[in-house]
């Protein structure tokens, strides 16, 4: 149980392209979903928290116009990296939780490479 | 805000030995402490967790202990195997919040 699917797993694209990443909870309803960014050999850095049907809450320093998050249903959240540049290259991971105080379950991550 | 410190950053042990990773948190309202294992290029996987009303929890070769007074919790892996090699992250969840605060990670190498 508690499976989270994330797609795509790998994206390589040109600078200026917008990239959408999907995160789905397959066997549970996710009240809250989270988007993290992870640089090599570093910890997970929370970018934003999203609750179904409401606007995402972004962490300090994360540009909300750059990283668009939509949480349209209890099983789907999307992260769109708009006009991506090489410095946006990273490993992006989503997680989903059934509620406050409940464990977060992670997707497989998306490796984004911007040329 | 909450801060979580994790030590050591790297740990090498011989196969069969025990490994201990320690984390310290700052927010006394934190009430949930999960541990995740992350292999290279893969998702973090929840391996064990503990809530603040419990002092110790064990699952086969893995155990977690929590000292609320000192605000620290530890992961113990016994009889380590090469497949235990990975990066381990602790996290703390504050009361009344959804957000985890992660530790900086420990790279564990189990030498065969």
């Amino acid at each position: 149980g508690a499976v989270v699917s994330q797609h795509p797993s790998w994206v390589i694209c040109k600078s200026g392209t917008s990239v959408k990443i999907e995160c789905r909870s397959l066997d549970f309803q996710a009240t809250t979903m989270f988007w993290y960014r992870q640089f090599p050999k570093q910890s997970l850095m929370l970018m934003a928290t999203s609750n179904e049907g409401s606007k995402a809450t972004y962490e300090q320093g994360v540009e909300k116009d750059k990283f668009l998050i939509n949480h349209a249903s209890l099983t789907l959240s999307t992260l769109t990296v708009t006009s991506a540049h090489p410095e946006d290259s990273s490993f992006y991971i989503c997680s989903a939780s059934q509620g406050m105080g409940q464990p977060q379950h992670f997707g497989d991550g998306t490796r984004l490479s911007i040329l | 805000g909450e801060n979580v410190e994790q030590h050591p950053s790297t740990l090498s042990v011989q196969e069969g030995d025990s490994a201990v990773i320690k984390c310290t948190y700052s927010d006394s309202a934190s009430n949930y402490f999960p541990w995740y294992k992350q292999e290279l290029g893969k998702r973090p996987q929840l391996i064990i967790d503990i809530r603040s009303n419990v002092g110790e929890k064990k699952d086969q070769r893995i155990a977690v202990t929590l000292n609320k007074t000192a605000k620290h919790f530890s992961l113990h892996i016994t009889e380590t195997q090469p497949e235990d090699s990975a990066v381990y992250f602790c996290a703390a969840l504050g009361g009344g919040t959804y957000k985890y605060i992660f530790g900086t990670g420990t790279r564990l190498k189990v030498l065969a």
Side-chain angles (χ1 to χ4, degrees), chain A residues 21-80:
Chain A
I21 303 169
E22 289 191 351
C23 181
R24 294 180 184 271
S25 56
L26 298 185
D27 53 2
F28 67 100
Q29 292 189 326
T31 305
T32 307
M33 287 187 169
F34 306 83
W35 288 95
Y36 294 86
R37 185 171 180 176
Q38 187 176 34
F39 291 105
K41 297 186 178 181
Q42 293 191 22
S43 189
L44 294 96
M45 183 190 79
L46 181 65
M47 298 175 67
T49 303
S50 73
N51 291 296
E52 183 262 339
S54 61
K55 288 185 178 180
T57 302
Y58 289 81
E59 295 299 300
Q60 192 172 9
V62 178
E63 298 177 58
K64 60 181 180 182
D65 295 330
K66 173 79 172 174
F67 299 99
L68 301 179
I69 291 171
N70 183 278
H71 192 162
S73 75
L74 283 171
T75 60
L76 174 64
S77 177
T78 60
L79 167 67
T80 301

Side-chain angles (χ1 to χ4, degrees), chain B residues 44-62:
Chain B
Q45 288 189 305
L46 179 67
I47 56 171
I48 197 166
D49 56 8
I50 192 167
R51 295 193 183 273
S52 57
N53 58 347
V54 176
E56 184 174 359
K57 184 176 178 180
K58 190 173 181 180
D59 182 3
Q60 299 183 335
R61 296 187 297 109
I62 297 173

Side-chain angles (χ1 to χ4, degrees), chain A residues 38 43 59 101 104 106-108, chain B residues 36 38 43 51 99-100 103:
Chain A
Q38 187 176 34
S43 189
E59 295 299 300
Q104 291 183 28
F106 286 85
D108 281 327
Chain B
Y36 287 86
Q38 187 179 29
R43 74 172 78 191
R51 295 193 183 273
K99 295 190 332 185
Y100 284 178

Side-chain angles (χ1 to χ4, degrees), chain B residues 4-13 17-25 33-38 47-48 50 61-67 71-78 80 84-91 102-110:
Chain B
V4 176
E5 294 188 359
Q6 183 172 347
H7 299 281
S9 57
T10 60
L11 178 60
S12 293
V13 299
D17 287 350
S18 295
V20 180
I21 304 170
K22 298 181 180 179
C23 287
T24 304
Y25 60 99
F33 308 92
W35 283 91
Y36 287 86
K37 174 184 179 182
Q38 187 179 29
I47 56 171
I48 197 166
I50 192 167
R61 296 187 297 109
I62 297 173
V64 55
T65 58
L66 171 65
N67 183 325
K71 290 189 283 189
H72 66 69
F73 56 110
S74 300
L75 176 71
H76 304 253
I77 306 174
T78 58
T80 53
D84 294 329
S85 297
V87 179
Y88 291 81
F89 292 100
C90 64
F102 279 93
T104 48
T106 297
R107 187 171 301 275
L108 173 65
K109 288 185 181 178
V110 180

